[in-house]
């Protein structure tokens, strides 16, 4: 398929029609956590100087917790007329209930383009925090007429699962069960799968309107490959080839329509730096073959997706070459770790079952090698996990859409409270 891209597609009439192409670049992180918000380990400080790991949003003081739509509407109105600050409005909202309140407000939306009061509050929260919050796995975003709802971007980590269950499942099943001896028929199925996949990605990029789309290449963990004929590794490479061509063609199609595209490609679970480089080169080669000599207008970054229990030395070496790192917080059997850690660590476990101490060592090993690299924790991150996110100094998190409003608001509350504590600390030091 690689050898026929140009001849059979863009260049069959002698020249490429679109003034765009591919260039792999490293861009700085969009949001940088600085000062105490990045360096200081978070936790609630008790009277005896000890720090606990419990979330301390109750430190908002006497602020009432607005836990209903009328109460949220009142907060937004008071902040809009200047009776209270936006910061106070945010600290007075209930992050555990904001998702339900947001859904309730949809019933009162008169026009699709009109914002609701919970949305206004969440928009304020986005402007007052440095932590970037992404949403995961929304493959039918464009079909459901949904929006990103304030997320920094969309993350697709399990495309193989979507292929198995989404609207391409028939053509995907046909590709899996193709007859390898019928070469012409096999190429036809590949072309159909690529074009259908491209159409799906075009619609996603349209919906994102320039916000980052992070896509992990299909991995070797698919159960489907246990049933494949021939060399399974070859079939994985072929499917990745189809996926990348669909993605690059989708991005080019959007650019031809003057729609901005921001792509982040993930190498899934590389064993070491050499394995990462091999797939990185594969990505670059497919991009060049797909879009020919026009290679300067479409930019993408290449990162690595690592399991939370990856070897620290391997993670550090991979980080040297990666533009960013995503730590996969979803892992089969992760919940067992809560029972395997020591007694003293028993309470320091994320909602997915990952011990904080394991994540801490992993992040520190990466930071020692490449201090400024962006690190994102994925896998249905919940507001209760933010205590660990901030202690680790992570730049980004991604979560499922149901948890997105609560994480957005709770993260803003965390950072506002930290700024207040920092101001009080400086005030005390000034008086002494």
């Amino acid at each position: 398929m690689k050898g026929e891209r140009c001849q059979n597609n863009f260049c069959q009439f002698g020249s490429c029609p679109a003034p765009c192409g591919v260039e792999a670049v490293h861009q700085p992180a969009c949001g940088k956590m600085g000062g105490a918000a990045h360096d200081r380990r978070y936790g609630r400080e008790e009277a005896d100087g000890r720090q606990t790991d419990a979330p301390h949003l109750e430190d908002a003081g006497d602020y009432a917790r607005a836990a209903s739509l009328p109460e949220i509407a009142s907060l937004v109105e008071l902040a809009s007329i200047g009776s209270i600050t936006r910061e106070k409005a945010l600290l007075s909202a209930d992050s555990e209930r904001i998702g339900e309140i947001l859904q309730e407000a949809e019933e009162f939306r008169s026009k699709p383009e009109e914002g609701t009061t919970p949305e206004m509050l969440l928009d304020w929260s986005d402007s007052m925090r440095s932590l970037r919050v992404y949403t995961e796995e929304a493959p039918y975003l464009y079909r459901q007429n949904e929006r990103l709802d304030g997320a920094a971007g969309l993350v697709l980590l399990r495309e193989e699962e979507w292929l198995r269950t989404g609207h391409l499942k028939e053509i995907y099943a046909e590709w899996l069960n193709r007859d390898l001896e019928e070469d012409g028929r096999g190429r036809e199925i590949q072309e159909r799968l690529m074009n259908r996949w491209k159409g799906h990605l075009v619609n996603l990029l349209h919906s994102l309107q320039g916000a980052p789309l992070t896509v992990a290449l299909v991995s070797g963990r698919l159960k489907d490959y246990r049933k494949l004929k021939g060399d399974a590794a070859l079939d994985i490479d072929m499917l990745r080839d189809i996926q990348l061509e669909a993605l690059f063609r989708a991005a080019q199609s959007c650019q031809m329509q003057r729609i901005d595209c921001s792509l982040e490609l993930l190498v899934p679970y590389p064993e070491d730096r050499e394995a990462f480089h091999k797939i990185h080169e594969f990505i670059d080669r497919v991009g060049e073959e797909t879009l020919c000599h026009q290679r300067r207008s479409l930019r993408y970054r290449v990162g690595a997706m690592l399991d939370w229990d990856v070897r620290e030395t391997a993670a550090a070496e991979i980080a040297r070459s990666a533009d960013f790192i995503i730590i996969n917080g979803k892992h089969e059997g992760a919940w067992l770790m809560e029972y395997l850690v020591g007694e003293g660590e028993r309470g320091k476990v994320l909602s997915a079952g990952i011990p904080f101490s394991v994540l801490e060592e992993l992040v520190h090993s990466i930071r020692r090698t490449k201090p400024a690299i962006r690190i994102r924790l994925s896998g249905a991150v919940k507001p209760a996990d933010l205590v660990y996110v901030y202690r680790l100094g992570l730049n980004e998190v991604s979560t499922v859409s149901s948890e997105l409003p609560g994480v957005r608001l709770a993260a803003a509350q965390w950072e506002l409270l930290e700024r207040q504590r920092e101001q009080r600390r400086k005030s005390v030091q000034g008086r002494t």
Side-chain angles (χ1 to χ4, degrees):
M1 191 170 185
K2 293 192 285 287
E4 299 177 347
R5 282 191 183 94
C6 238
Q7 293 83 350
N8 289 344
N9 295 292
F10 283 155
C11 298
Q12 56 186 337
F13 297 110
S15 64
C16 295
C20 57
V22 181
E23 179 182 9
V25 298
H26 172 72
Q27 299 178 353
C30 297
K32 182 180 179 182
M33 298 173 61
H38 175 75
D39 299 322
R40 180 176 176 270
R41 288 188 178 185
Y42 282 59
R44 182 169 184 166
E45 195 167 309
E46 301 292 352
D48 60 0
R50 292 181 297 104
Q51 283 195 340
T52 68
D53 294 322
H56 51 272
L57 292 181
E58 65 270 20
D59 289 349
D62 296 329
Y63 299 140
R65 275 285 177 261
S68 68
L69 180 57
E71 290 171 342
I72 292 292
S74 297
L75 278 180
V76 172
E77 183 178 357
L78 289 171
S80 298
I81 64 177
S83 296
I84 62 174
T85 63
R86 290 184 176 183
E87 289 83 354
K88 186 171 182 178
L90 287 168
L91 289 170
S92 300
D94 190 337
S95 60
E96 294 181 0
R97 290 268 299 128
I98 191 64
E100 299 173 28
I101 296 170
L102 193 63
Q103 291 181 347
E104 183 183 348
E106 287 296 319
E107 301 177 11
F108 301 95
R109 189 195 297 271
S110 56
K111 296 180 181 178
E113 64 274 10
E114 286 184 354
T116 62
T117 50
E119 286 176 337
M120 291 179 64
L121 190 76
L122 288 170
D123 287 343
W124 295 345
S125 77
D126 296 335
S127 66
M128 293 185 187
R129 59 174 160 74
S130 57
L131 185 73
R132 293 173 63 82
V133 184
Y134 291 71
T135 186
E136 292 182 14
E137 311 302 340
Y140 297 106
L141 184 71
Y142 66 95
R143 294 186 64 184
Q144 296 173 350
N145 197 28
E146 294 179 355
R147 294 158 296 173
L148 274 179
D149 291 331
L154 175 62
V155 183
L156 303 177
L157 300 180
R158 288 166 285 276
E159 284 287 81
E160 57 266 34
E161 294 180 13
W162 169 73
L163 283 172
R164 227 181 353 246
T165 59
H167 66 279
L168 298 189
K169 60 184 179 182
E170 290 83 5
I171 183 64
Y172 175 59
E174 192 174 353
W175 179 83
L176 283 176
N177 298 305
R178 67 196 183 282
D179 189 343
L180 298 178
E181 295 182 0
E182 295 184 16
D183 192 46
R185 175 63 176 165
R187 283 200 298 269
E188 178 189 341
I189 295 173
Q190 283 182 206
E191 193 72 18
R192 285 171 53 207
L193 179 59
M194 189 278 295
N195 284 323
R196 293 280 301 277
W197 208 338
K198 170 196 166 185
H200 164 72
L201 291 167
V202 164
N203 285 318
L204 281 181
L205 290 169
H206 271 271
S207 298
L208 289 168
Q209 292 293 318
L213 174 63
T214 307
V215 184
L217 299 188
V218 292
S219 69
R221 299 182 176 185
L222 293 92
K223 295 179 182 178
D224 296 322
Y225 289 118
R226 298 173 189 171
K227 303 178 293 183
L228 284 178
K229 305 171 185 176
D231 186 357
L234 179 63
D235 286 300
I236 293 171
D237 286 344
M238 189 178 297
L239 188 56
R240 286 175 175 171
D241 186 284
I242 297 170
Q243 179 187 18
L244 285 168
E245 181 169 355
L247 184 58
F248 287 134
R249 288 194 185 283
Q252 186 177 52
S253 175
C254 288
Q255 286 203 333
M256 290 173 67
Q257 301 173 53
R258 300 190 181 279
I259 296 173
D260 290 335
C261 298
S262 178
L263 298 180
E264 297 179 333
L265 305 178
L266 277 173
V267 176
Y269 316 113
E271 294 181 358
D272 50 34
R273 191 178 182 184
E274 183 179 350
F276 176 83
H277 273 298
K278 181 180 179 181
I279 300 180
H280 195 320
E281 291 171 357
F282 176 73
I283 291 170
D284 293 341
R285 186 169 66 252
V286 173
E288 292 172 0
E289 292 170 349
T290 301
L291 300 172
C292 310
H293 61 281
Q294 299 156 357
R295 313 180 55 247
R296 295 300 170 200
S297 62
L298 177 63
R299 299 184 176 187
Y300 63 87
R301 289 177 289 217
V302 179
M305 182 162 63
L306 306 177
D307 278 327
W308 58 270
D309 57 353
V310 67
R311 288 184 298 111
E312 295 169 20
T313 52
E317 286 301 308
I318 292 167
R320 291 182 188 276
S321 303
D323 293 335
F324 63 101
I325 295 290
I326 290 184
I327 300 174
N328 180 18
K330 263 189 175 180
H331 191 286
E332 294 180 6
W335 60 274
L336 288 171
M337 289 301 296
E338 184 173 0
Y339 303 96
L340 299 178
V341 297
E343 189 66 30
E345 298 291 314
R346 189 63 57 84
K348 301 178 182 179
V349 178
L350 278 71
S351 57
I354 305 171
F356 168 73
S357 59
V358 177
L359 268 184
E360 185 177 38
E361 289 301 319
L362 175 59
V363 171
H364 285 179
S365 67
I366 294 172
R367 293 284 190 208
R368 282 193 296 267
T369 304
K370 198 171 184 179
I373 192 170
R374 290 166 45 210
I375 303 178
R376 184 187 311 168
L377 178 64
S378 74
V381 172
K382 297 184 178 181
D385 296 323
L386 290 175
V387 59
Y388 304 113
V389 168
Y390 280 105
R391 285 184 63 183
L392 292 168
L394 301 183
N395 308 91
E396 305 164 349
V397 295
S398 64
T399 188
V400 293
S401 58
S402 60
E403 298 288 350
L404 184 63
V407 172
R408 289 169 64 195
L409 179 57
Q413 291 173 338
W414 270 95
E415 295 189 27
L416 286 171
L417 289 173
E418 177 59 21
R419 290 171 203 158
Q420 290 182 1
R421 285 192 294 274
E422 188 64 26
Q423 289 171 359
R424 287 196 297 267
R425 231 182 271 113
K426 290 179 179 179
S427 177
V428 171
Q429 291 173 356
R431 289 198 298 268
T432 58

